[in-house]
Amino acid sequence: MKGVMIQGTASDVGKSLIVTALCRMFANDGISVVPFKSQNMSNNSYVTKDGKEIGRAQGIQAEAAKIEATVWMNPILLKPRSNQDSEIVYLGKSLKTLSGKGYRDTFYEKGLDVIKKSLEQLSSEYELVVIEGAGSPVEINLKDRELVNMKVAELADVPVVLVADIDRGGVFASIIGTLELLEPEERQRVAGVIINKFRGDISLFEDGIHWLEKKTDIPVLGVLPYVENHMIDGEDSLSLNNQFSMRQKGNLDIAVIQLPFISNYSDLEPFLYEEDVSIRWVKQASEFGNPDAVIIPGTKSTMNDLKAITDRKLDFLIQNHIENGGYVVGICGGYQILGEEIIDEAGSDTGIVNNSVKGLGCIPGRTIFYEEKETIRAVGVYHENTGLFANDKVEGYEIHLGKTVLHQQGCSFLSLENGKEEGYFGRNGQIIGTYLHHLFHNDQWRNHWLNMIRKSKGLNRKEPIYISNYKDKRYDEIANQMKEHLNFELLNDIISNWCSK
């Protein structure tokens, strides 16, 4: 198999972004390239064209590679449901929920088998595979049964490039320490090092490059700059925390409830393009303030996150916000939380059959959790009763176990192409609930919603900002920016020479 694997000295060193950039670099060179990550742990997911669920990062990387995402690019997705248990999504479909120990004890062989099949499938379809690792390859307590770092590099028989984050400090120790903890045969597979997130004058680091290369006998392929506000969907909430911290100066104040088990936070990223929008996390009641709008995002554990909201006394603040004329949007689990009641009929949310709790009571409906998960891409128009422009298409995707039944007629938000009515639209748009992830990625809708809030504040309307086309352009910009600081020719030589061994 022709390819390369990007591993890191730790989590959040920038592996996903580097793989995204490499996919676009190779694609722009006319190479048929595909991303791969054997096992992803994230509640930020992506729905493929055929309605399968994979990690969000691999969906984005497929876009950068200019191809359609498939389950073979991420055959195993682990979605945390508590501090100890995760839902296993296997080849795009929910399989079961296991504890970390249960997963290690019972799933290893099955995981190994599907990884082999995935690599074979991808190698038959594409010229080159760019593989992403996870965390660190030298977690000693996990190495004997790991499915995502050196074991995958061995199965694919590809060279490894080790990425370290200089922004967090300790870059020399992290690189040398990682290499020292690798087994000799693993160490021989590391063919290059990348220093990521560098700020300042690169000439001040040249001595460091020479020292590393002399100490390790491994080439430093590049020192990549810190990419500010790169606008590429991240894989975990840490990356979004970093982006949100930059956008707290706009005239429109949007508060996002920070749920313990938040999922698909990429729903919120389009607001980073809106210069007059301030978007911030709210975890405690003391942080709520007086926002213009509140968004309750998706969650992997609706009932647990509803309890977190009530325990923190945020429920009263959200209810008072609505009564005082404030806007609120609940997406997926957030939609369910805004309803009157949640019934876990199958025990699929909490593990307790027929467990029921009261919701916030802001939407006249109740949610029932069943066993079968629904994952679809959806397209629709505004429901005729909303009074909105009926011809504006709204696109997104649904990933949910619960189904919400409204007690009122004529208050749906969307009419979908499959004939179903979807979501809730109340008080002329002041209260909205929907299962449609990426609702705000629809530029016309996002602009309309923000203009409603601007009008309520006596501010002027604004024209839409079209981010859809900009995103593809951004892939090229990031690829070109990184290519300037990367010895791409040497990387190509490493890949080619490895194949010829």
Side-chain angles (χ1 to χ4, degrees):
M1 176 179 293
K2 186 177 182 180
V4 64
M5 186 167 192
I6 305 301
Q7 296 186 18
T9 57
S11 297
D12 198 45
V13 299
K15 295 184 294 291
S16 293
L17 184 62
I18 289 172
V19 170
T20 303
L22 287 174
C23 283
R24 180 48 63 101
M25 288 180 209
F26 286 119
N28 284 346
D29 282 353
I31 296 172
S32 172
V33 59
V34 61
F36 178 72
K37 187 167 185 176
S38 56
Q39 173 187 288
N40 211 333
M41 178 170 279
S42 176
N43 275 333
N44 212 27
S45 54
Y46 184 101
V47 174
T48 62
K49 193 174 183 179
D50 56 351
K52 304 292 178 62
E53 189 178 6
I54 64 173
R56 181 87 200 147
Q58 282 62 64
I60 293 301
Q61 289 159 4
E63 291 178 6
K66 305 179 183 181
I67 57 176
E68 191 69 47
T70 70
V71 292
W72 303 112
M73 300 174 192
N74 177 218
I76 305 169
L77 172 62
L78 304 180
K79 304 188 74 174
R81 301 191 65 172
S82 69
N83 291 330
Q84 295 188 7
D85 299 334
S86 291
E87 175 193 7
I88 301 171
V89 179
Y90 177 84
L91 286 177
K93 290 293 185 182
S94 180
L95 187 65
K96 62 176 75 174
T97 296
L98 289 174
S99 66
K101 186 176 186 305
Y103 179 75
R104 273 176 57 82
D105 290 347
T106 66
F107 195 78
Y108 183 76
E109 297 300 332
K110 187 178 182 70
L112 209 57
D113 183 60
V114 77
I115 291 167
K116 292 176 183 176
K117 289 179 180 177
S118 298
L119 288 169
E120 289 170 3
Q121 181 69 30
L122 295 179
S123 65
S124 70
E125 295 181 25
Y126 300 94
E127 297 175 61
L128 178 72
V129 59
V130 182
I131 305 173
E132 180 183 342
S136 161
V138 289
E139 301 295 348
I140 303 304
N141 58 316
L142 303 175
K143 268 175 68 45
D144 62 324
R145 293 175 75 81
E146 65 96 356
L147 289 170
V148 73
N149 284 309
M150 281 298 177
K151 185 62 180 178
V152 177
E154 176 191 332
L155 290 173
D157 193 16
V158 295
V160 169
V161 173
L162 186 65
V163 178
D165 176 1
I166 196 171
D167 190 57
R168 66 177 64 189
V171 70
F172 298 103
S174 65
I175 293 170
I176 301 301
T178 299
L179 293 172
E180 286 294 319
L181 289 171
L182 290 172
E183 297 297 326
E185 63 273 15
E186 296 172 337
R187 169 68 173 75
Q188 291 172 9
R189 195 174 286 278
V190 180
V193 170
I194 290 176
I195 310 295
N196 196 28
K197 303 184 185 179
F198 184 85
R199 304 174 191 258
D201 185 352
I202 187 63
S203 66
L204 299 177
F205 192 67
E206 288 178 357
D207 289 345
I209 294 173
H210 298 321
W211 184 89
L212 275 172
E213 291 183 332
K214 184 177 180 181
K215 179 74 174 177
T216 65
D217 198 29
I218 298 172
V220 175
L221 299 176
V223 180
L224 306 184
Y226 193 105
V227 181
E228 300 279 3
N229 210 13
H230 55 70
M231 300 297 186
I232 302 300
D233 297 359
E235 192 169 46
D236 54 42
S237 56
L238 179 60
S239 63
L240 191 61
N241 273 326
N242 293 337
Q243 291 189 49
F244 272 29
S245 66
M246 303 176 197
R247 296 305 308 273
Q248 296 186 17
K249 297 180 180 178
N251 294 325
L252 304 186
D253 180 19
I254 299 178
V256 181
I257 305 302
Q258 188 169 359
L259 305 174
F261 297 101
I262 185 173
S263 68
N264 293 86
Y265 70 77
S266 57
D267 291 337
L268 310 169
E269 291 181 336
F271 293 112
L272 299 173
Y273 293 86
E274 302 283 351
E275 291 185 359
D276 66 338
V277 170
S278 164
I279 187 161
R280 57 188 174 89
W281 289 116
V282 170
K283 189 174 183 179
Q284 306 294 340
S286 59
E287 300 167 344
F288 192 82
N290 186 30
D292 300 307
V294 173
I295 295 176
I296 308 179
T299 165
K300 195 65 191 67
S301 186
T302 301
M303 287 183 164
N304 284 326
D305 279 348
L306 171 59
K307 184 176 185 302
I309 287 175
T310 56
D311 286 349
R312 297 169 184 173
K313 310 301 181 187
L314 286 166
D315 50 341
F316 300 113
L317 294 173
I318 294 169
Q319 291 160 345
N320 289 338
H321 167 78
I322 293 172
E323 290 307 311
N324 291 328
Y327 288 79
V328 65
V329 175
I331 301 175
C332 200
Y335 175 24
Q336 297 165 347
I337 286 169
L338 286 169
E340 296 172 347
E341 185 182 19
I342 303 171
I343 303 170
D344 195 1
E345 183 178 283
S348 54
D349 186 71
T350 61
I352 305 172
V353 175
N354 290 323
N355 184 22
S356 65
V357 293
K358 289 184 178 180
L360 300 190
C362 306
I363 288 177
R366 70 173 186 171
T367 296
I368 301 176
F369 278 97
Y370 299 105
E371 199 165 336
E372 189 70 23
K373 180 189 282 191
E374 188 166 358
T375 58
I376 60 169
R377 286 191 183 180
V379 180
V381 295
Y382 306 124
H383 193 278
E384 59 183 1
N385 292 321
T386 64
L388 301 175
F389 303 106
N391 292 328
D392 281 351
K393 278 195 174 183
V394 178
E395 301 181 10
Y397 58 94
E398 299 182 32
I399 307 173
H400 54 95
L401 284 161
K403 294 188 178 179
T404 301
V405 179
L406 300 176
H407 304 324
Q408 295 179 4
Q409 296 294 318
C411 58
S412 297
F413 177 35
L414 301 171
S415 296
L416 301 182
E417 286 184 347
N418 62 12
K420 295 182 180 179
E421 295 186 358
E422 200 284 320
Y424 174 81
F425 187 90
R427 300 192 186 186
N428 293 318
Q430 185 193 346
I431 306 172
I432 292 172
T434 180
Y435 279 111
L436 205 67
H437 290 291
H438 276 206
L439 170 67
F440 290 111
H441 285 248
N442 292 274
D443 300 320
Q444 292 283 5
W445 161 253
R446 185 181 68 258
N447 181 250
H448 176 79
W449 186 71
L450 290 174
N451 275 338
M452 287 195 295
I453 301 172
R454 290 175 181 124
K455 182 179 179 181
S456 72
K457 295 191 68 174
L459 300 173
N460 293 330
R461 292 171 52 88
K462 287 183 175 289
E463 292 300 311
I465 294 173
Y466 294 97
I467 67 170
S468 305
N469 295 332
Y470 180 76
K471 188 171 186 180
D472 190 71
K473 180 182 176 183
R474 191 67 178 130
Y475 290 140
D476 282 326
E477 290 175 348
I478 290 172
N480 292 335
Q481 184 177 4
M482 289 196 174
K483 198 171 184 178
E484 288 180 13
H485 301 274
L486 181 70
N487 192 334
F488 194 55
E489 183 178 350
L490 178 55
L491 177 61
N492 272 299
D493 288 343
I494 288 170
I495 294 171
S496 298
N497 291 337
W498 193 275
C499 288
S500 63
K501 284 184 178 180

